[in-house]
Amino acid sequence: MINEAALLESRSLRDGVVDRTHVIDKVKTLSLLPDGMHVTTAMVAAYFEVTETVIRAMVFDHREELESNGYRVLTGSELSYFKQLSGIQSRTASLALFPRRAVLNVAMLLRDSEVARQVRTYLLDVEYMARTQPVDNSVHRGPDSLDDRIDRRITHILGKTIVPMFNALIEASGEHRKELISLRDDVEKVERKLCNHHQRLRHLEHAQGPRPYTGIMASIDAMNWRDFEHHVAALLRRDGCTDVVVHGGRGDRGVDVTAVTADGRSIVVQCKSFAPYRPVWSGQLQKFLGASFVQHGADVALFVATTSFTPDARAIAETHGITPVDRAHLEKWSAGVPLPILR
């Protein structure tokens, strides 16, 4: 699997994933020029929440790579023609333009932007899913695996043909861009569902007896954020905690649940009900760190999520004594396995 450090250092790896421009919209809305295809240096800086100087310095260091992905600087008659077509009012003698591919390229190069890190993390998750899509290798596995092989064929077609086709159409389309993005997202949802279905079938094929936690995470995924907070509160009560209070919402001072362990330690909990493909970022751990120990003076800080944690987030948790409860641990906890920190 490609990791973030390798992506930052290897142009060949970046070239291999630069077509996945839809991840930009998954993290944050990218405002486009009236032509529906390009953004300026100022707009790129605003998206990544850095200064224009940072973007210009990055372009200086990686100009050839960015130009291969559509970055260009308009001057003279070409600039005048572009202004006329797009309706841009500018008196500058030149204008740098970034298409979506170049913006994603920037996200894979900027080291000190939290937004860029989020784009990279989402991009790597999408790439991991694409690389691990099982395909039919013509090995005979018996009649019971027919649906399995069909799912794999459909998933392969969606991931390798249909989604890239939508990406190309979106890149070239201005008038129907929103509709194409919506259709592309629907196709990706089907792709993820088929992938999950295949993984469940594979697990059932190799399971030694019935799976002990069947249905637990499906039930939790169906909860809204308020129900999820009350679910976590119920788990705390089940495991012997007292004075359990749900605070989620405005005025919660950065925590969702507070409680006291059976041996008298104070607990604060942050609950995040995220989609499984959307990890918890380091910035969210840093924010909770201040709320849990500084504002509340807690003895135990739990960050409970329905998804995974990025490596940076886990590093912060380990360094500062926060207990991350990811999807796998949440499933076991919900099934009756107490968290070690509460014992």
Side-chain angles (χ1 to χ4, degrees), residues 64-138:
E64 190 274 329
E65 178 180 346
L66 288 164
E67 286 180 340
S68 71
N69 288 311
Y71 170 82
R72 57 191 178 129
V73 178
L74 303 183
T75 59
S77 59
E78 188 179 19
L79 174 58
S80 299
Y81 183 65
F82 181 81
K83 289 179 180 179
Q84 181 181 357
L85 287 179
S86 62
I88 294 176
Q89 301 296 322
S90 173
R91 296 182 179 179
T92 58
S94 63
L95 181 66
L97 295 178
F98 297 75
R100 291 170 61 81
R101 281 172 60 98
V103 175
L104 181 57
N105 198 166
V106 171
M108 292 187 280
L109 292 168
L110 277 179
R111 295 177 180 270
D112 298 322
S113 163
E114 181 61 28
V115 174
R117 280 193 289 268
Q118 292 178 14
V119 172
R120 288 194 295 271
T121 300
Y122 194 93
L123 175 64
L124 291 172
D125 287 344
V126 171
E127 179 63 12
Y128 175 76
M129 289 180 64
R131 286 173 178 266
T132 56
Q133 296 297 322
V135 296
D136 184 11
N137 57 9
S138 301

Side-chain angles (χ1 to χ4, degrees), residues 19-243:
D19 288 326
R20 301 187 181 277
T21 57
H22 64 284
V23 301
I24 296 171
D25 300 299
K26 297 292 186 181
V27 175
K28 185 179 177 183
T29 301
L30 176 66
S31 298
L32 298 173
L33 290 171
D35 70 343
M37 297 177 59
H38 297 93
V39 292
T40 64
T41 302
M43 296 166 76
V44 174
Y47 177 84
F48 290 110
E49 299 176 4
V50 297
T51 65
E52 292 183 50
T53 301
V54 170
I55 300 299
R56 291 192 183 99
M58 187 273 305
V59 171
F60 181 82
D61 292 335
H62 302 277
R63 182 159 188 149
E64 190 274 329
E65 178 180 346
L66 288 164
E67 286 180 340
S68 71
N69 288 311
Y71 170 82
R72 57 191 178 129
V73 178
L74 303 183
T75 59
S77 59
E78 188 179 19
L79 174 58
S80 299
Y81 183 65
F82 181 81
K83 289 179 180 179
Q84 181 181 357
L85 287 179
S86 62
I88 294 176
Q89 301 296 322
S90 173
R91 296 182 179 179
T92 58
S94 63
L95 181 66
L97 295 178
F98 297 75
R100 291 170 61 81
R101 281 172 60 98
V103 175
L104 181 57
N105 198 166
V106 171
M108 292 187 280
L109 292 168
L110 277 179
R111 295 177 180 270
D112 298 322
S113 163
E114 181 61 28
V115 174
R117 280 193 289 268
Q118 292 178 14
V119 172
R120 288 194 295 271
T121 300
Y122 194 93
L123 175 64
L124 291 172
D125 287 344
V126 171
E127 179 63 12
Y128 175 76
M129 289 180 64
R131 286 173 178 266
T132 56
Q133 296 297 322
V135 296
D136 184 11
N137 57 9
S138 301
V139 175
H140 298 290
R141 299 173 59 193
D144 292 338
S145 63
L146 177 60
D147 290 341
D148 180 0
R149 293 197 302 272
I150 292 173
D151 285 347
R152 285 185 291 168
R153 290 192 188 106
I154 296 174
T155 304
H156 180 70
I157 292 170
L158 291 176
K160 299 300 182 182
T161 304
I162 305 300
V163 172
M165 179 189 72
F166 272 116
N167 290 339
L169 290 173
I170 291 167
E171 190 74 30
S173 175
E175 182 179 356
H176 302 291
R177 182 173 175 274
K178 291 183 178 180
E179 291 84 353
L180 288 169
I181 289 175
S182 178
L183 288 171
R184 193 264 326 278
D185 290 346
D186 289 340
V187 171
E188 288 188 317
K189 288 177 183 178
V190 173
E191 181 186 359
R192 286 195 297 270
K193 287 180 179 179
L194 287 172
C195 180
N196 291 336
H197 177 60
H198 168 73
Q199 290 172 348
R200 286 194 296 268
L201 288 176
R202 293 278 297 193
H203 184 82
L204 289 172
E205 284 180 1
H206 296 91
Q208 301 297 319
R211 184 172 180 267
Y213 309 141
T214 301
I216 289 177
M217 288 312 300
S219 176
I220 293 175
D221 288 338
M223 297 177 183
N224 60 34
W225 64 271
R226 173 62 73 179
D227 291 338
F228 180 56
E229 290 173 357
H230 283 279
H231 173 72
V232 172
L235 295 178
L236 292 170
R237 294 189 186 96
R238 185 202 67 193
D239 291 347
C241 296
T242 59
D243 298 330

